[in-house]
Amino acid sequence: MPRRSWGEIVAQRKSIAKTEKVPTPTARNASRHELDSIEEKASTERTDFELLKLFVQRSSQDAFETLVTRHRRQVYNFIFKMVGKAEAAEDIFQETFLRVLKNAHTYTPRAKFTTWCLQIARNLTLDYFKREGLRRHASLDAQSDETERSMGQMLAGIVPESSEVLVSREMIEGVRDAVTRLPENQREALVLRVYQDLQYSEIAEILGSPEGTVKYWVHEAIGQLARWLERKGLS
Amino acid sequence: MSSNESSRQHKPQSAEARLAALLLGDLPAADALKLQAEVAQDAQLQKARGSVESLLGVMRADPQADVSQGALKALFEKSRDLMAEPEVAQQADLIRISELIRVYLPRVAAVAVVVFTFGMLVTKLPEGPVPTVGTVVDDDGKQFIRAGDLVEARMGSPRRVTFNTGEVLLDGGTALRVSGGTGFTTPSISLERGRVAIDARSRDFSVSVAGRSVHVGKGGLATIELDVPYAHIDRAGAVVEIRRTTVKEVAELAKRTWGVDLYAGGLPQMIQEQRVSFYGVGLDSADFVQSFVAAASRFGVRLGNDGQSLEYRQASGSFDMESEQVLRIATMRGDARVQDAAGEVALSELSQNMVEFRTGTEAAPRNLEPERLGQMLVWAGGLGNESIATHLPGVNTSDEQLPQGSVIYTDKLVLHGEEDRVFVLNGPEFNFPLPGGRMGRLVGLMSSGAEFEVEGETAREFVPFRRLSEGK
């Protein structure tokens, strides 16, 4: 595929939006010629869909690893902010990309690859909560004393002796922990909007809910957390 | 579902939730104005708004975590095993690369062991089993960079990282993460903030930044600037680095760090959310407040007569809300390409060889004005690389450095010494003393130094800031 100017890219985005009824190809439909031309490109030049084609039709481990490397931060961060534990997050992260591997041939570019990945990650995260019997929401009042102290110290203006990074790790971790106690739908929406900085339209697609509802969840989540901060006298 | 339909299904929202909607920009303009008016007259609402703002600030300051190398390695091993299974392998209609890998893997592994052993012998590892992928030489001597390291350059102290495939020059206030690489292969480099110049002298070089990949061809030279909110105060040295931080957050910072109670609640909401940048060394609380107010003065902010509250006086002229994040990429030599989810483009296709991305805009990136490109060239030249300095037409680089305690605002420079001297950017007077008894006029400011027009001379001069270590 020849390199494209930004003008062409924008024009393509618009044309994609206007041609919804055109059947979308899957990763298993590429011709030999197309695959050859994709293989001629450097890894960084291949689109996500092109990498999936190489992976599905030519079993390219390199293509799979490039996809993982390209999107690992976004996917891992979503999972980590949802479960709040690195070890569990890494297990779910691995399972997410193994599901991607197994189901790559079913992917169609109707949705962004990251949206598809995050949908898989979300489903696995919810499975994890069910499996572990975790229903931590409605327990924002059950913060540990340790967390309260460190949050309180930081917000009260007590700073470390040697150096200070403005927002301390303790504050960040305290809020992060409180986020894991929100109801699941609010937590998902909040993580994707505030931590991941996704557009509401994309979040709605990932969660399978209307945009208006997603906004409501985000606002409610922030409201709950802010009231929790106030109750603790930490704001 | 329309917003009305959805709102009918939901309970009325709390004040905090409504304020969250306001601060996230999710309210229609009329509703936003109405709520802002309510807040202005209600102390409880003002308090709630403070809580929501603090919360959002903490959440946005939460850095992106990365999955461990161990988990990645395990994933890749599992994926290889899975691909060897029949139900997955049958998806491949053409070449069965995985089978080739299985056949040749033992031989490849044997060769890899030999190569690795040889590499261990010829590469002196200072400690531990993690291979060195690069080096930094600065005032503290030679330091080795290993996979996983975060390399930071403090404001006023540019650094140079040397890899076997090229060099990365870090401007002050920059952080980049190095991962992968074995000492023989190019490591993965991720720019987290600040500015770098990539000199791909012997091999192609790629850098990931803000969800994009920048690829510099062999022999190419490119600069990348990722301007994101960042704040750091090292109280021991009173080093202040404030970058793209909102007026409200800086006021809170002054209170937390020095106990200076700067009340920003009286400022209009839009002004509280404007972003300021300033830097300095050797600052006390008064210097900090002075620097802050000076940086925010272009938005009409000034210190009240009580010395504690921030006041707003409508500034002459207009200004736009600052984006939260700006990414600029430019090439100075050779080829560079930028790849994002939408596709890929060669910078040589753009006039000025430069592109800018701003947060939250889906629109195509835009070219930058020549003046901005000139700044990119100048700061890169200030890092002292000869090959880059040749790209600075009409600008000399000086060995002299600006004095300890220099404070840089977004549009002017203040030197703290026997007296406070303010040098306005592009001001009319040649009032800055330069080496050799010459006088200069400040025409450009970068985080690594300043560019001066010299009185009576055609050539400009770039003067780097003094390194922090020299002032201690």
Side-chain angles (χ1 to χ4, degrees):
Chain A
M1 185 186 289
R3 290 178 196 156
R4 296 171 297 155
S5 67
W6 289 113
E8 288 171 325
I9 291 169
V10 172
Q12 189 200 22
R13 280 177 174 163
K14 289 178 179 172
S15 72
I16 288 172
K18 288 178 182 173
T19 55
E20 287 178 358
K21 291 184 179 176
V22 175
T24 46
T26 63
R28 68 188 344 169
N29 292 340
S31 67
R32 179 191 294 263
H33 173 72
E34 186 183 355
L35 291 169
D36 288 343
S37 65
I38 294 172
E39 281 193 324
E40 285 174 9
K41 295 180 179 180
S43 293
T44 53
E45 296 175 355
R46 296 170 187 156
T47 65
D48 294 340
F49 192 38
E50 288 173 340
L51 288 168
L52 276 176
K53 286 174 181 172
L54 280 186
F55 167 67
V56 168
Q57 297 200 38
R58 296 199 168 168
S59 299
S60 169
Q61 175 74 17
D62 180 53
F64 176 72
E65 293 187 7
T66 303
L67 272 174
V68 173
T69 305
R70 192 179 284 180
H71 300 291
R72 68 173 200 261
R73 277 193 173 219
Q74 189 173 22
V75 173
Y76 179 74
N77 263 288
F78 168 71
I79 300 167
F80 178 64
K81 295 291 189 326
M82 285 294 291
V83 303
K85 295 175 184 172
E87 193 176 348
E90 290 194 338
D91 288 345
I92 298 170
F93 172 84
Q94 289 183 25
E95 186 56 32
T96 298
F97 277 102
L98 292 176
R99 291 278 177 98
V100 167
L101 185 149
K102 288 176 184 170
N103 297 295
H105 61 287
T106 66
Y107 170 79
T108 63
R110 286 195 188 95
K112 281 166 62 177
F113 177 73
T114 47
T115 303
W116 186 59
C117 258
L118 287 170
Q119 283 172 334
I120 295 172
R122 180 215 179 201
N123 291 337
L124 290 171
T125 303
L126 295 180
D127 288 347
Y128 165 80
F129 290 142
K130 285 177 192 164
R131 198 168 57 244
E132 300 292 317
L134 294 174
R135 284 290 182 274
R136 301 177 68 192
H137 65 82
S139 57
L140 271 180
D141 288 325
Q143 290 282 330
S144 70
D145 290 343
E146 190 178 344
T147 305
E148 282 181 26
R149 264 201 307 276
S150 56
M151 291 275 289
Q153 284 170 355
M154 289 313 302
L155 287 163
I158 299 170
V159 295
E161 289 178 3
S162 58
S163 66
E164 179 198 46
V165 174
L166 298 190
V167 178
S168 77
R169 182 184 296 175
E170 287 83 356
M171 276 178 76
I172 287 172
E173 288 178 353
V175 170
R176 199 188 283 164
D177 184 57
V179 167
T180 66
R181 295 162 193 269
L182 289 167
E184 279 159 12
N185 50 13
Q186 290 184 19
R187 193 186 328 168
E188 291 170 332
L190 180 73
V191 168
L192 292 168
R193 178 69 191 92
V194 179
Y195 284 122
Q196 304 280 84
D197 201 24
L198 295 188
Q199 301 292 318
Y200 281 116
S201 56
E202 197 173 347
I203 301 170
E205 193 172 354
I206 293 167
L207 302 185
S209 299
E211 275 188 49
T213 302
V214 171
K215 283 184 183 175
Y216 178 87
W217 286 338
V218 171
H219 303 158
E220 279 298 299
I222 294 173
Q224 281 205 40
L225 289 171
R227 286 196 299 279
W228 171 77
L229 282 175
E230 282 182 34
R231 278 201 304 274
K232 300 295 176 189
L234 303 179
S235 63
Chain B
M1 182 189 293
S2 71
S3 58
N4 285 341
E5 284 170 334
S6 67
S7 62
R8 274 200 299 273
Q9 293 181 3
H10 302 307
K11 290 184 293 185
Q13 293 199 295
S14 65
E16 288 84 358
R18 288 166 60 217
L19 288 165
L22 174 72
L23 293 171
L24 290 174
D26 295 339
L27 285 183
D31 293 349
L33 284 173
K34 189 178 169 188
L35 183 53
Q36 281 174 343
E38 284 179 43
V39 172
Q41 296 181 347
D42 188 328
Q44 281 293 97
L45 279 178
Q46 287 169 14
K47 187 182 172 193
R49 185 180 62 188
S51 297
V52 175
E53 283 174 338
S54 298
L55 174 67
L56 288 173
V58 173
M59 293 178 78
R60 284 172 175 152
D62 194 347
Q64 283 222 324
D66 201 356
V67 66
S68 71
Q69 288 298 315
L72 265 186
K73 190 179 170 190
L75 169 64
F76 293 152
E77 283 173 2
K78 284 179 190 171
S79 70
R80 286 189 197 99
D81 294 342
L82 205 59
M83 285 170 73
E85 291 176 7
E87 62 268 30
V88 177
Q90 70 184 3
Q91 291 168 8
D93 299 325
L94 301 171
I95 303 170
R96 305 299 179 97
I97 294 176
S98 59
E99 292 175 14
L100 292 176
I101 289 172
R102 279 209 310 278
V103 170
Y104 288 105
L105 190 58
R107 296 175 202 178
V108 171
V111 171
V113 167
V114 171
V115 169
F116 180 75
T117 306
F118 176 74
M120 292 288 281
L121 289 173
V122 298
T123 306
K124 289 184 177 179
L125 296 179
E127 58 185 32
V130 182
T132 300
V133 296
T135 53
V136 178
V137 179
D138 55 21
D139 295 348
D140 299 327
K142 189 172 186 178
Q143 296 173 37
F144 294 91
I145 306 298
R146 296 181 180 80
D149 281 353
L150 179 72
V151 185
E152 287 186 282
R154 284 287 171 223
M155 197 56 64
S157 299
R159 303 179 87 187
R160 183 196 311 262
V161 185
T162 303
F163 300 101
N164 65 338
T165 52
E167 282 188 340
V168 179
L169 310 171
L170 283 69
D171 195 11
T174 296
L176 60 82
R177 175 80 62 183
V178 180
S179 58
T182 61
F184 297 98
T185 57
T186 307
S188 300
I189 294 171
S190 175
L191 178 62
E192 300 196 348
R193 61 182 160 80
R195 296 194 282 203
V196 293
I198 311 294
D199 192 351
R201 62 185 176 206
S202 62
R203 205 180 296 174
D204 290 6
F205 217 112
S206 290
V207 177
S208 63
V209 52
R212 295 174 176 83
S213 174
V214 181
H215 185 82
V216 185
K218 180 182 175 182
L221 181 66
T223 60
I224 308 171
E225 176 180 15
L226 178 61
D227 194 356
V228 290
Y230 174 71
H232 174 265
I233 295 179
D234 178 349
R235 298 188 75 197
V239 180
V240 172
E241 297 173 75
I242 304 292
R243 190 77 215 163
R244 264 186 140 67
T245 306
T246 63
V247 168
K248 177 76 182 292
E249 288 165 344
V250 178
E252 288 172 0
L253 175 64
K255 183 174 182 180
R256 280 188 216 135
T257 309
W258 281 290
V260 178
D261 201 356
L262 280 179
Y263 177 65
L267 299 175
Q269 183 74 19
M270 189 182 81
I271 301 299
Q272 291 184 34
E273 291 171 5
Q274 289 289 356
R275 297 176 184 278
V276 294
S277 303
F278 57 97
Y279 323 101
V281 284
L283 305 190
D284 58 19
S285 60
D287 295 333
F288 181 88
V289 172
Q290 183 191 14
S291 305
F292 167 39
V293 174
S297 62
R298 69 192 178 101
F299 304 121
V301 176
R302 62 176 199 161
L303 197 60
N305 291 332
D306 60 1
Q308 291 189 324
S309 58
L310 295 174
E311 295 179 348
Y312 172 66
R313 177 171 293 177
Q314 190 159 7
S316 59
S318 62
F319 47 82
D320 297 326
M321 286 295 287
E322 289 275 359
S323 300
E324 187 175 351
Q325 173 183 305
V326 179
L327 169 63
R328 300 186 183 101
I329 304 157
T331 52
M332 296 184 216
R333 184 183 69 218
D335 295 321
R337 301 188 301 277
V338 185
Q339 164 107 35
D340 69 0
E344 179 248 38
V345 70
L347 293 187
S348 58
E349 293 175 10
L350 304 171
S351 61
Q352 310 300 341
N353 284 359
M354 185 162 188
V355 68
E356 179 182 88
F357 303 86
R358 285 180 178 269
T359 305
T361 54
E362 282 291 322
R366 61 190 176 92
N367 294 333
L368 245 77
E369 61 273 22
E371 184 184 349
R372 180 66 82 174
L373 179 62
Q375 283 189 2
M376 295 282 277
L377 291 170
V378 170
W379 75 255
L383 295 175
N385 181 286
E386 284 186 6
S387 65
I388 296 176
T390 60
H391 294 266
L392 304 172
V395 178
N396 299 323
T397 52
S398 172
D399 291 334
E400 297 288 331
Q401 295 175 332
L402 295 182
Q404 173 78 6
S406 303
V407 177
I408 321 164
Y409 305 129
T410 49
D411 58 354
K412 59 191 166 190
L413 167 72
V414 174
L415 305 179
H416 287 270
E418 295 178 355
E419 57 180 341
D420 279 353
R421 294 174 294 182
V422 177
F423 299 90
V424 177
L425 188 66
N426 288 317
E429 297 178 12
F430 289 85
N431 57 355
F432 188 93
L434 289 170
R438 299 168 302 159
M439 297 301 287
R441 186 171 75 91
L442 184 64
V443 294
L445 269 176
M446 303 92 218
S447 54
S448 57
E451 182 191 3
F452 295 94
E453 193 174 303
V454 185
E455 193 171 30
E457 296 181 15
T458 52
R460 293 183 172 188
E461 185 149 325
F462 180 85
V463 184
F465 288 101
R466 185 186 292 270
R467 285 171 178 267
L468 299 180
S469 56
E470 293 172 9
K472 291 175 182 173

